[in-house]
Amino acid sequence: GEGANLSQMGTCYDIAGNWASNTQAGIKIDKTAPNTSLTAPSGWNNVAVTLTLDPNDGLAGVAATHFAVDGGATQSGTSIAINTEGIHAVEYWSVDAAGNEEGHHTAQVKIDLTSPTITHTQDPEANTNGWNKESVTVEFLCADELSGIASCTEDQTVTTEGEQQTVTGTAVDNANNTATDPATVSIDKTVPTISAAADRAGNDNGWYSDDVLVSFTCTDDLSGDAS
């Protein structure tokens, strides 16, 4: 059986009927391997991660706790620091003072320290002066090579007039890293105004007897005059 202070008594008899006994005490037997638990964050993480190993052995006591990260060299200790990006495989186990080694456990740690990317397009595209004369739909395009995209701002349609109107898109990856893209849209739906004036008034009948120079005046309060 198992125990920390086991004993066994033996007795000897001779032919004449004499006997003697002796006891071997202090026998320690531990047949049960230790058990190690791991405290680790679940899912994706956007910071370095430190894992804590908690070994337990009810009899002989834990002699050592070992671990290996991503198939690397075996290390000893109860704290595992992982600070690089990627999906990491952690193997861990303990050995007690009686030499029992528990079965190896595995865990996975996922770290993404990089923000996602976000860009945009607009439909219709602005003219060469950066203006649109109708409503504009801004489409945001998000990407993340490691943990993947959790959310990306949906298409936004701008209907109001104005210069450099900001439409901000946000990308969030599965590690909760974020990135923003402040798109700007300039819209002028209002036609310009134009007025005309002759260089002089006609006669009483409204007629001219020579060439007339007509001047045009154009104004636009938003995008400005182009021609």
Side-chain angles (χ1 to χ4, degrees):
E2 293 183 306
N5 188 23
L6 303 175
S7 63
Q8 181 64 50
M9 183 182 71
T11 304
C12 293
Y13 297 87
D14 64 17
I15 297 175
N18 300 300
W19 63 274
S21 65
N22 201 347
T23 299
Q24 175 66 54
I27 300 172
K28 298 187 289 184
I29 299 177
D30 182 357
K31 301 178 181 181
T32 304
N35 178 63
T36 305
S37 60
L38 172 69
T39 301
S42 61
W44 282 95
N45 303 272
N46 60 11
V47 294
V49 172
T50 298
L51 309 179
T52 300
L53 299 174
D54 182 19
N56 291 280
D57 189 271
L59 198 51
V62 175
T65 298
H66 307 292
F67 64 88
V69 179
D70 295 332
T74 298
Q75 304 177 64
S76 297
T78 58
S79 182
I80 308 172
I82 303 176
N83 52 25
T84 58
E85 290 188 312
I87 301 176
H88 302 281
V90 179
E91 182 181 12
Y92 61 97
W93 68 97
S94 294
V95 179
D96 66 18
N100 297 301
E101 179 176 320
E102 71 176 309
H104 293 202
H105 305 286
T106 58
Q108 190 179 77
V109 176
K110 299 187 287 186
I111 299 177
D112 182 357
L113 305 175
T114 304
S115 296
T117 60
I118 180 171
T119 58
H120 72 273
T121 61
Q122 69 175 57
D123 183 29
E125 295 183 357
N127 64 17
T128 56
N129 296 311
W131 283 88
N132 289 85
K133 62 180 182 179
E134 56 189 302
S135 297
V136 174
T137 298
V138 180
E139 179 184 5
F140 292 99
L141 308 171
C142 304
D144 189 273
E145 295 182 355
L146 189 52
S147 62
I149 291 295
S151 66
C152 183
T153 299
E154 296 181 352
D155 295 356
Q156 303 291 308
T157 299
V158 183
T159 61
T160 57
E161 292 186 310
E163 184 176 10
Q164 296 290 302
Q165 300 177 85
T166 301
V167 183
T168 301
T170 300
V172 182
D173 66 19
N174 285 302
N176 207 35
N177 298 302
T178 63
T180 59
D181 178 20
T184 57
V185 176
S186 297
I187 297 177
D188 183 358
K189 298 180 179 180
T190 304
V191 298
T193 60
I194 182 171
S195 60
D199 60 351
R200 64 190 184 280
N203 63 19
D204 293 341
N205 297 312
W207 285 88
Y208 295 88
S209 60
D210 202 349
D211 294 343
V212 177
L213 176 65
V214 179
S215 299
F216 295 95
T217 301
C218 302
T219 58
D220 190 276
D221 293 334
L222 189 50
S223 61
D225 297 331
S227 64

